[in-house]
Each structure stands twice: as structure tokens, then as C-alpha cells.
Amino acid sequence: MKFAVLVFPGSNCDADLYHAIVDVCHEEAAYVSYTATSLAGFDAVLIPGGFSYGDYLRSGAIAKLAPIMTAVVAFAKAGKPVLGICNGFQILTEAGLLPGALLPNRQTHFICETVALQVENSDTRFTNQYVKGATIALPIAHGEGNYYCDPETLAQLHANHQIAFTYATDVNGSLDNIAGITNEAGNVLGMMPHPERAVEALLGSADGLGVFQSILKSGVATHGE
Amino acid sequence: MYNVQVYVTYKDSVLDPQGQAVQGALQRLGFEGISQMRIGKFFEMQVTGADQGAVIDKVEAICDQLLANPNMEQYRYDLQLVEGAK
């Protein structure tokens, strides 16, 4: 598969994503600038963490208006996989590709630590290499990771099995400890934890590798290769 | 032309930890009877147009599309006609 790694002004996890795909998974990846207008030739889109546009106004609010986002919306609507991590998750909610919003952490400060997560749904194209209910360890590093949505949306997330990951404990005030959700169609995932920072034992955990292996597995199945 | 002030705050149903921290600080300072402290954003801009209805439509579109995130925020705005301007 060929992965597009988007780069916005202020992205800072783009190189980690590229490393995870190219050096660890031995797949193809290319950086795609926020000024680009096409995603032709790519099989999956990765939106990295960072501080796009300095987080001015709201995290992800200005990035959603970047030229590349029109192509990302079309890519998602076509049913192709889009993964947003941290600021990427914030951008996906601001762009309306995922429901809800990310509020400032309840404790009002930036949190940087490795946390325990529960795999709530192992039947998505981003989590099929995990065991449902498994506990994994991934790093988080965010100031605005407190997931919020209205009660009707929360009920829909549960009913449609759109909650992919939850925090094992309440780390930032997120509703129902939500750490990652998919869209209703299941081809867009946003998550605050950083799987790309946990792809080798050297990094302290390789538990994040499953996210990328899941995309590869479902991509192969989709394309019948 | 209109001077426009836009005020954006979290919806009442959304917890505002910063507001709560400031409210707690006011209580520690000895101010009593302070409640419902909310922290929001303030925007000020000038919008060209002679027709107030059209200016209001434009301001609301700006708020809905960028200044506020309707998932978690609410907004209100004030307009003043700038005399002599178009």
C-alpha cells in the first residue's frame, strides 16, 4: 500500500509516521503538503500530530480549510482509509469527518505519558490485528484531548460500535474515557494516543504497530492482493 | 459598514475547566457570590455593507463556519453602524 503523510504548518509527528510505515512496516509512503490538491495514487491517508497553524483559534480549525482537505474529504467519502492521530483527530472532527470535538483536558494542562488503553472494537480496518478487550500501552501528548459530543451522538457511537479505543482510566475527562472513534462507515479513525511512537520495543512499546498492520491487512483484503 | 463584536463561549452543557479555575481563585481572593464563570473568545471586526440583514447573514456564516465550533460552542454578536461609511 502507498500511504500519504499529510504535512501542515506545525505538524511534528509526520516523520514518526513516515518512519513507522517505511522503516518498520516496509511499505511505501510520501509526504503530501497541505497545499496539494490531489491524493491520486494513494491507498491510505495519515494525518499526523502536531500543532497545525499553531493551534490558533481552536486545534485543527484552520487546518480544515487547507487546500488538501478537499481531497481528504473526497478520499474519505470514497470509503478509503483515513487515520488522524492527535492533532489529526482534532482536524478530522473540525472537518466534520468525525463527530464530536476535542476540548481542553479537564485538568487544564498538557499531559505527556504512556497510558493503558482498551481495544473496544477489534472489527475495524484500523484494529483488526488486536484482540477485542485487550489492554495496550500507547503514549499520549496533548492539551486538548478531552473528547466531547452531545448525548445523542454518544448513544450513536455506542450503538454503531464506533468507539475503537478507550482509556483504561480517566486521563483527561473524555466522555466514557473515549480515546479513539471511527466514522459510521468505519473507514475514518481519529485517536489521541500516538501509535506511531510505539512501533518498536526500543521505543518502550510496540503496541501501536497493530494499527498500521490492521490497515495493511484490510487494504490487502480490499484489493484482493 | 458595521463594527461587529463576536463572543464565543462553550455551551452551558460543556465543562469549562479554565472558568472553574478562575472562579476558585476569586473565591480564594475573598469575593463572594461569584458563580457560573465562563471563559470565552472575543472577536472584533469591521464588515462592509449597507444592508444590516445581509451583514448579519455574513456574520452568522463566519461564526458557524470558523469562529465557533457548533459541536461545543455558542456565540452571540453585537453590531454598530459606522456613520458615514458604506
Side-chain angles (χ1 to χ4, degrees), chain A residues 67-91:
Chain A
I68 191 61
M69 288 306 294
T70 302
V72 172
V73 170
F75 196 87
K77 299 283 185 213
K80 296 175 185 172
V82 177
L83 167 63
I85 298 165
C86 201
N87 189 231
F89 186 9
Q90 295 161 340
I91 293 170

PDB file of all heavy atoms in Angstrom, chain A residues 67-91:
ATOM      1  N   PRO A  67      -5.980  23.586   1.429  1.00  0.00           N
ATOM      2  CA  PRO A  67      -6.348  23.032   0.115  1.00  0.00           C
ATOM      3  C   PRO A  67      -6.449  21.505   0.092  1.00  0.00           C
ATOM      4  O   PRO A  67      -7.388  20.949  -0.492  1.00  0.00           O
ATOM      5  CB  PRO A  67      -5.220  23.518  -0.795  1.00  0.00           C
ATOM      6  CG  PRO A  67      -4.752  24.789  -0.160  1.00  0.00           C
ATOM      7  CD  PRO A  67      -4.893  24.570   1.329  1.00  0.00           C
ATOM      8  N   ILE A  68      -5.523  20.804   0.774  1.00  0.00           N
ATOM      9  CA  ILE A  68      -5.520  19.335   0.709  1.00  0.00           C
ATOM     10  C   ILE A  68      -6.780  18.727   1.317  1.00  0.00           C
ATOM     11  O   ILE A  68      -7.173  17.602   0.978  1.00  0.00           O
ATOM     12  CB  ILE A  68      -4.264  18.757   1.414  1.00  0.00           C
ATOM     13  CG1 ILE A  68      -4.103  17.257   1.124  1.00  0.00           C
ATOM     14  CG2 ILE A  68      -4.336  18.964   2.924  1.00  0.00           C
ATOM     15  CD1 ILE A  68      -3.922  16.902  -0.326  1.00  0.00           C
ATOM     16  N   MET A  69      -7.468  19.468   2.205  1.00  0.00           N
ATOM     17  CA  MET A  69      -8.596  18.866   2.921  1.00  0.00           C
ATOM     18  C   MET A  69      -9.780  18.548   2.005  1.00  0.00           C
ATOM     19  O   MET A  69     -10.555  17.634   2.288  1.00  0.00           O
ATOM     20  CB  MET A  69      -9.025  19.746   4.092  1.00  0.00           C
ATOM     21  CG  MET A  69      -8.038  19.743   5.260  1.00  0.00           C
ATOM     22  SD  MET A  69      -7.631  18.075   5.863  1.00  0.00           S
ATOM     23  CE  MET A  69      -9.204  17.550   6.534  1.00  0.00           C
ATOM     24  N   THR A  70      -9.921  19.287   0.907  1.00  0.00           N
ATOM     25  CA  THR A  70     -10.991  18.955  -0.043  1.00  0.00           C
ATOM     26  C   THR A  70     -10.764  17.553  -0.602  1.00  0.00           C
ATOM     27  O   THR A  70     -11.692  16.744  -0.719  1.00  0.00           O
ATOM     28  CB  THR A  70     -11.019  19.986  -1.194  1.00  0.00           C
ATOM     29  OG1 THR A  70     -11.199  21.284  -0.618  1.00  0.00           O
ATOM     30  CG2 THR A  70     -12.164  19.703  -2.152  1.00  0.00           C
ATOM     31  N   ALA A  71      -9.492  17.254  -0.892  1.00  0.00           N
ATOM     32  CA  ALA A  71      -9.151  15.917  -1.394  1.00  0.00           C
ATOM     33  C   ALA A  71      -9.320  14.869  -0.304  1.00  0.00           C
ATOM     34  O   ALA A  71      -9.739  13.737  -0.582  1.00  0.00           O
ATOM     35  CB  ALA A  71      -7.713  15.918  -1.926  1.00  0.00           C
ATOM     36  N   VAL A  72      -9.003  15.230   0.945  1.00  0.00           N
ATOM     37  CA  VAL A  72      -9.148  14.275   2.049  1.00  0.00           C
ATOM     38  C   VAL A  72     -10.625  13.924   2.249  1.00  0.00           C
ATOM     39  O   VAL A  72     -10.976  12.758   2.443  1.00  0.00           O
ATOM     40  CB  VAL A  72      -8.544  14.842   3.358  1.00  0.00           C
ATOM     41  CG1 VAL A  72      -8.869  13.927   4.543  1.00  0.00           C
ATOM     42  CG2 VAL A  72      -7.040  15.009   3.228  1.00  0.00           C
ATOM     43  N   VAL A  73     -11.492  14.926   2.176  1.00  0.00           N
ATOM     44  CA  VAL A  73     -12.932  14.679   2.333  1.00  0.00           C
ATOM     45  C   VAL A  73     -13.421  13.746   1.220  1.00  0.00           C
ATOM     46  O   VAL A  73     -14.141  12.770   1.474  1.00  0.00           O
ATOM     47  CB  VAL A  73     -13.720  16.008   2.333  1.00  0.00           C
ATOM     48  CG1 VAL A  73     -15.223  15.746   2.244  1.00  0.00           C
ATOM     49  CG2 VAL A  73     -13.394  16.816   3.586  1.00  0.00           C
ATOM     50  N   ALA A  74     -12.992  14.004  -0.008  1.00  0.00           N
ATOM     51  CA  ALA A  74     -13.402  13.155  -1.133  1.00  0.00           C
ATOM     52  C   ALA A  74     -12.866  11.734  -0.960  1.00  0.00           C
ATOM     53  O   ALA A  74     -13.570  10.749  -1.211  1.00  0.00           O
ATOM     54  CB  ALA A  74     -12.910  13.757  -2.447  1.00  0.00           C
ATOM     55  N   PHE A  75     -11.619  11.627  -0.503  1.00  0.00           N
ATOM     56  CA  PHE A  75     -10.961  10.340  -0.257  1.00  0.00           C
ATOM     57  C   PHE A  75     -11.760   9.543   0.781  1.00  0.00           C
ATOM     58  O   PHE A  75     -12.025   8.344   0.609  1.00  0.00           O
ATOM     59  CB  PHE A  75      -9.540  10.624   0.257  1.00  0.00           C
ATOM     60  CG  PHE A  75      -8.594   9.458   0.221  1.00  0.00           C
ATOM     61  CD1 PHE A  75      -7.861   9.175  -0.919  1.00  0.00           C
ATOM     62  CD2 PHE A  75      -8.401   8.670   1.346  1.00  0.00           C
ATOM     63  CE1 PHE A  75      -6.955   8.123  -0.943  1.00  0.00           C
ATOM     64  CE2 PHE A  75      -7.504   7.611   1.330  1.00  0.00           C
ATOM     65  CZ  PHE A  75      -6.784   7.342   0.178  1.00  0.00           C
ATOM     66  N   ALA A  76     -12.162  10.234   1.857  1.00  0.00           N
ATOM     67  CA  ALA A  76     -12.934   9.574   2.928  1.00  0.00           C
ATOM     68  C   ALA A  76     -14.311   9.169   2.423  1.00  0.00           C
ATOM     69  O   ALA A  76     -14.788   8.071   2.708  1.00  0.00           O
ATOM     70  CB  ALA A  76     -13.054  10.498   4.133  1.00  0.00           C
ATOM     71  N   LYS A  77     -14.950  10.068   1.662  1.00  0.00           N
ATOM     72  CA  LYS A  77     -16.297   9.766   1.159  1.00  0.00           C
ATOM     73  C   LYS A  77     -16.266   8.577   0.197  1.00  0.00           C
ATOM     74  O   LYS A  77     -17.267   7.877   0.037  1.00  0.00           O
ATOM     75  CB  LYS A  77     -16.888  10.982   0.425  1.00  0.00           C
ATOM     76  CG  LYS A  77     -17.038  12.222   1.296  1.00  0.00           C
ATOM     77  CD  LYS A  77     -18.238  12.157   2.226  1.00  0.00           C
ATOM     78  CE  LYS A  77     -18.411  13.472   2.987  1.00  0.00           C
ATOM     79  NZ  LYS A  77     -18.965  13.279   4.334  1.00  0.00           N
ATOM     80  N   ALA A  78     -15.101   8.353  -0.438  1.00  0.00           N
ATOM     81  CA  ALA A  78     -14.962   7.217  -1.360  1.00  0.00           C
ATOM     82  C   ALA A  78     -14.735   5.908  -0.608  1.00  0.00           C
ATOM     83  O   ALA A  78     -14.581   4.850  -1.227  1.00  0.00           O
ATOM     84  CB  ALA A  78     -13.812   7.478  -2.332  1.00  0.00           C
ATOM     85  N   GLY A  79     -14.680   5.991   0.740  1.00  0.00           N
ATOM     86  CA  GLY A  79     -14.554   4.773   1.535  1.00  0.00           C
ATOM     87  C   GLY A  79     -13.126   4.320   1.779  1.00  0.00           C
ATOM     88  O   GLY A  79     -12.895   3.230   2.303  1.00  0.00           O
ATOM     89  N   LYS A  80     -12.160   5.163   1.413  1.00  0.00           N
ATOM     90  CA  LYS A  80     -10.757   4.785   1.605  1.00  0.00           C
ATOM     91  C   LYS A  80     -10.298   5.168   3.020  1.00  0.00           C
ATOM     92  O   LYS A  80     -10.844   6.076   3.628  1.00  0.00           O
ATOM     93  CB  LYS A  80      -9.890   5.477   0.556  1.00  0.00           C
ATOM     94  CG  LYS A  80     -10.219   5.031  -0.865  1.00  0.00           C
ATOM     95  CD  LYS A  80      -9.433   5.837  -1.863  1.00  0.00           C
ATOM     96  CE  LYS A  80      -9.854   5.470  -3.292  1.00  0.00           C
ATOM     97  NZ  LYS A  80      -9.241   6.367  -4.280  1.00  0.00           N
ATOM     98  N   PRO A  81      -9.274   4.464   3.543  1.00  0.00           N
ATOM     99  CA  PRO A  81      -8.895   4.667   4.946  1.00  0.00           C
ATOM    100  C   PRO A  81      -8.178   5.997   5.216  1.00  0.00           C
ATOM    101  O   PRO A  81      -7.248   6.369   4.506  1.00  0.00           O
ATOM    102  CB  PRO A  81      -7.966   3.479   5.241  1.00  0.00           C
ATOM    103  CG  PRO A  81      -7.485   3.009   3.920  1.00  0.00           C
ATOM    104  CD  PRO A  81      -8.541   3.349   2.911  1.00  0.00           C
ATOM    105  N   VAL A  82      -8.655   6.671   6.251  1.00  0.00           N
ATOM    106  CA  VAL A  82      -8.052   7.920   6.717  1.00  0.00           C
ATOM    107  C   VAL A  82      -7.831   7.788   8.219  1.00  0.00           C
ATOM    108  O   VAL A  82      -8.769   7.496   8.966  1.00  0.00           O
ATOM    109  CB  VAL A  82      -8.971   9.130   6.444  1.00  0.00           C
ATOM    110  CG1 VAL A  82      -8.357  10.411   7.018  1.00  0.00           C
ATOM    111  CG2 VAL A  82      -9.239   9.287   4.948  1.00  0.00           C
ATOM    112  N   LEU A  83      -6.592   7.975   8.654  1.00  0.00           N
ATOM    113  CA  LEU A  83      -6.251   7.883  10.082  1.00  0.00           C
ATOM    114  C   LEU A  83      -5.719   9.230  10.551  1.00  0.00           C
ATOM    115  O   LEU A  83      -4.750   9.751  10.003  1.00  0.00           O
ATOM    116  CB  LEU A  83      -5.186   6.798  10.305  1.00  0.00           C
ATOM    117  CG  LEU A  83      -4.499   6.765  11.676  1.00  0.00           C
ATOM    118  CD1 LEU A  83      -5.488   6.467  12.798  1.00  0.00           C
ATOM    119  CD2 LEU A  83      -3.378   5.725  11.686  1.00  0.00           C
ATOM    120  N   GLY A  84      -6.350   9.801  11.563  1.00  0.00           N
ATOM    121  CA  GLY A  84      -5.880  11.053  12.164  1.00  0.00           C
ATOM    122  C   GLY A  84      -5.440  10.807  13.590  1.00  0.00           C
ATOM    123  O   GLY A  84      -6.184  10.232  14.379  1.00  0.00           O
ATOM    124  N   ILE A  85      -4.212  11.211  13.900  1.00  0.00           N
ATOM    125  CA  ILE A  85      -3.649  10.977  15.228  1.00  0.00           C
ATOM    126  C   ILE A  85      -3.447  12.314  15.933  1.00  0.00           C
ATOM    127  O   ILE A  85      -2.802  13.208  15.382  1.00  0.00           O
ATOM    128  CB  ILE A  85      -2.300  10.228  15.115  1.00  0.00           C
ATOM    129  CG1 ILE A  85      -2.512   8.852  14.478  1.00  0.00           C
ATOM    130  CG2 ILE A  85      -1.646  10.096  16.488  1.00  0.00           C
ATOM    131  CD1 ILE A  85      -1.231   8.193  13.998  1.00  0.00           C
ATOM    132  N   CYS A  86      -3.985  12.449  17.124  1.00  0.00           N
ATOM    133  CA  CYS A  86      -3.788  13.629  17.972  1.00  0.00           C
ATOM    134  C   CYS A  86      -4.303  14.883  17.255  1.00  0.00           C
ATOM    135  O   CYS A  86      -5.497  15.023  17.077  1.00  0.00           O
ATOM    136  CB  CYS A  86      -2.324  13.736  18.386  1.00  0.00           C
ATOM    137  SG  CYS A  86      -2.071  14.751  19.854  1.00  0.00           S
ATOM    138  N   ASN A  87      -3.441  15.774  16.800  1.00  0.00           N
ATOM    139  CA  ASN A  87      -3.922  16.933  16.046  1.00  0.00           C
ATOM    140  C   ASN A  87      -4.678  16.477  14.794  1.00  0.00           C
ATOM    141  O   ASN A  87      -5.624  17.144  14.359  1.00  0.00           O
ATOM    142  CB  ASN A  87      -2.749  17.850  15.674  1.00  0.00           C
ATOM    143  CG  ASN A  87      -3.199  19.186  15.074  1.00  0.00           C
ATOM    144  OD1 ASN A  87      -2.730  19.586  14.025  1.00  0.00           O
ATOM    145  ND2 ASN A  87      -4.122  19.874  15.735  1.00  0.00           N
ATOM    146  N   GLY A  88      -4.296  15.317  14.255  1.00  0.00           N
ATOM    147  CA  GLY A  88      -5.018  14.763  13.113  1.00  0.00           C
ATOM    148  C   GLY A  88      -6.465  14.431  13.474  1.00  0.00           C
ATOM    149  O   GLY A  88      -7.385  14.622  12.676  1.00  0.00           O
ATOM    150  N   PHE A  89      -6.678  13.921  14.691  1.00  0.00           N
ATOM    151  CA  PHE A  89      -8.024  13.639  15.204  1.00  0.00           C
ATOM    152  C   PHE A  89      -8.794  14.960  15.323  1.00  0.00           C
ATOM    153  O   PHE A  89      -9.955  15.069  14.897  1.00  0.00           O
ATOM    154  CB  PHE A  89      -7.894  12.944  16.563  1.00  0.00           C
ATOM    155  CG  PHE A  89      -9.183  12.447  17.176  1.00  0.00           C
ATOM    156  CD1 PHE A  89     -10.394  12.439  16.494  1.00  0.00           C
ATOM    157  CD2 PHE A  89      -9.177  11.939  18.484  1.00  0.00           C
ATOM    158  CE1 PHE A  89     -11.566  11.958  17.090  1.00  0.00           C
ATOM    159  CE2 PHE A  89     -10.330  11.452  19.082  1.00  0.00           C
ATOM    160  CZ  PHE A  89     -11.529  11.473  18.391  1.00  0.00           C
ATOM    161  N   GLN A  90      -8.129  15.973  15.867  1.00  0.00           N
ATOM    162  CA  GLN A  90      -8.779  17.284  16.020  1.00  0.00           C
ATOM    163  C   GLN A  90      -9.179  17.853  14.662  1.00  0.00           C
ATOM    164  O   GLN A  90     -10.275  18.408  14.494  1.00  0.00           O
ATOM    165  CB  GLN A  90      -7.832  18.244  16.760  1.00  0.00           C
ATOM    166  CG  GLN A  90      -7.540  17.820  18.192  1.00  0.00           C
ATOM    167  CD  GLN A  90      -6.285  18.462  18.769  1.00  0.00           C
ATOM    168  OE1 GLN A  90      -5.413  18.948  18.035  1.00  0.00           O
ATOM    169  NE2 GLN A  90      -6.172  18.475  20.094  1.00  0.00           N
ATOM    170  N   ILE A  91      -8.308  17.691  13.675  1.00  0.00           N
ATOM    171  CA  ILE A  91      -8.605  18.184  12.324  1.00  0.00           C
ATOM    172  C   ILE A  91      -9.806  17.443  11.744  1.00  0.00           C
ATOM    173  O   ILE A  91     -10.694  18.042  11.133  1.00  0.00           O
ATOM    174  CB  ILE A  91      -7.361  18.041  11.408  1.00  0.00           C
ATOM    175  CG1 ILE A  91      -6.247  18.987  11.866  1.00  0.00           C
ATOM    176  CG2 ILE A  91      -7.732  18.327   9.941  1.00  0.00           C
ATOM    177  CD1 ILE A  91      -4.895  18.749  11.172  1.00  0.00           C
TER     178      ILE A  91
END
